[in-house]
C-alpha cells in the first residue's frame, strides 16, 4: 500500500471512539444499583478505562495501517495524523460523555461526572 489518505486516520479513530462509547453506555447500564453500593465508582472507572482504551486502540490500528505504507513522507504524515486523531478522539469521547451524563443526569450514565 503506497497511498493512504490522512482522513482515514481520523475516520478510524472516531469510529473506534464511537464503538467504545457505546460499550461504556452498555456497561454503565449493566452495573446493578444496590442500596449500600450504588455503583457510581464502577461506572466512572469503566468510563475512564474505555476512554483511554479507545484512544490507544485507535492509535494502534492507525499505526498498523501506517506500517504498510512504503513512501516515507506519506508514512510520516500518516503517523503524525494518527497521533492527532487519537487526541481528537479522546477529547470528543470526554466531551460526549460529559454531555450525555448531564442530559441523562437521573440515569446510570449520569454518574460518569
Amino acid at each position: 500500500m503506497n497511498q493512504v489518505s490522512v482522513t482515514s486516520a481520523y475516520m478510524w479513530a472516531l469510529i473506534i471512539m464511537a464503538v467504545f462509547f457505546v460499550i461504556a453506555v452498555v456497561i454503565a447500564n449493566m452495573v446493578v444499583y444496590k442500596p449500600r453500593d450504588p455503583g457510581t465508582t464502577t461506572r466512572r472507572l469503566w468510563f475512564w478505562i474505555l476512554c483511554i482504551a479507545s484512544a490507544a486502540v485507535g492509535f494502534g490500528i492507525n499505526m498498523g495501517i501506517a506500517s504498510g505504507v512504503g513512501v516515507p513522507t506519506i508514512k510520516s504524515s500518516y503517523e503524525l495524523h494518527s497521533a492527532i486523531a487519537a487526541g481528537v478522539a479522546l477529547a470528543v469521547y470526554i466531551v460526549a460523555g460529559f454531555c450525555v451524563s448531564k442530559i441523562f443526569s437521573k440515569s446510570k450514565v449520569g454518574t460518569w461526572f
Side-chain angles (χ1 to χ4, degrees):
M1 175 191 304
N2 288 331
Q3 293 289 336
V4 65
S5 172
V6 294
T7 308
S8 68
Y10 294 97
M11 289 188 321
W12 277 113
L14 292 176
I15 288 169
I16 291 166
M17 183 273 313
V19 169
F20 275 78
F21 191 80
V22 168
I23 292 170
V25 170
V26 169
I27 289 175
N29 286 316
M30 286 176 52
V31 174
V32 180
Y33 178 83
K34 297 175 186 170
R36 294 184 185 183
D37 179 27
T40 56
T41 304
T42 306
R43 288 185 200 97
R44 194 172 293 140
L45 183 66
W46 273 108
F47 174 80
W48 288 108
I49 288 172
L50 291 172
C51 178
I52 301 300
S54 71
V57 169
F59 182 72
I61 288 176
N62 279 329
M63 291 306 285
I65 293 170
S67 68
V69 177
V71 181
T73 56
I74 295 173
K75 181 177 182 176
S76 174
S77 176
Y78 193 81
E79 288 172 346
L80 171 71
H81 286 279
S82 296
I84 295 170
V88 168
L90 185 73
V92 170
Y93 187 100
I94 293 170
V95 169
F98 181 77
C99 291
V100 168
S101 75
K102 295 307 174 191
I103 290 170
F104 300 107
S105 60
K106 302 292 183 194
S107 69
K108 290 183 177 181
V109 289
T111 61
W112 282 345
F113 285 93

